[in-house]
Amino acid sequence: MTVQIYDIETALGRTLTIAEQAQGNQWIADALMLIEVRLGAPDDLNQSALVYVVREAVVARFRNPEGLQSESIDDYTYRHGSETRRVTILPEWWDLLSPAIQAEAFSTRPGFEADGGVPDWWVTTTEVAP
């Protein structure tokens, strides 16, 4: 199961032009490559999560192809470019693709023994005058 152009069109709510279809196919391949580099073969991942992540990453690129970000202060909005002019997979999408490791994989048990008392160098002796 892979993402197809009609999945992107459905998510966008419009038909893509031939040039946009070529872009979409390239961005789908880019998203799959990013996932494969980080997590291994896409076939080994949860396929429904994979389709969702790839589709949303490509749709996000279509909706904001220049990677513009905006900042609003009161009634003023400032738009500026950013370094997101590529297919980007958000951290929460990575979490969907690679579920948390089970708690048994780590131990919180201390690896040292309990103190045997106060060390000799800590004790100060004071002599009492007769």
Side-chain angles (χ1 to χ4, degrees), residues 42-111:
D43 293 337
D44 296 339
L45 302 173
N46 179 317
Q47 292 302 297
S48 59
L50 178 67
V51 167
Y52 173 80
V53 168
V54 171
R55 183 185 67 232
E56 291 303 308
V58 173
V59 167
R61 176 74 194 269
F62 267 112
R63 288 187 176 144
N64 189 6
E66 298 302 318
L68 295 175
Q69 295 180 347
S70 63
E71 182 179 345
S72 295
I73 301 172
D74 294 329
D75 293 335
Y76 178 75
T77 300
Y78 173 70
R79 295 191 68 150
H80 53 90
S82 71
E83 57 189 61
T84 60
R85 295 181 185 188
R86 62 193 184 315
V87 174
T88 303
I89 299 175
L90 300 177
E92 57 265 25
W93 296 342
W94 285 117
D95 291 343
L96 286 174
L97 293 172
S98 55
I101 299 172
Q102 294 180 357
E104 294 84 46
F106 301 98
S107 173
T108 57
R109 208 172 347 167

Side-chain angles (χ1 to χ4, degrees), residues 100-126:
I101 299 172
Q102 294 180 357
E104 294 84 46
F106 301 98
S107 173
T108 57
R109 208 172 347 167
F112 57 89
E113 295 185 21
D115 292 339
V118 180
D120 293 339
W121 57 267
W122 186 280
V123 178
T124 59
T125 56
T126 55

Side-chain angles (χ1 to χ4, degrees), residues 5-14 55-56 58-60 63:
I5 285 299
Y6 64 85
D7 296 322
I8 306 302
E9 290 176 328
T10 301
L12 287 171
R14 66 180 178 90
R55 183 185 67 232
E56 291 303 308
V58 173
V59 167
R63 288 187 176 144

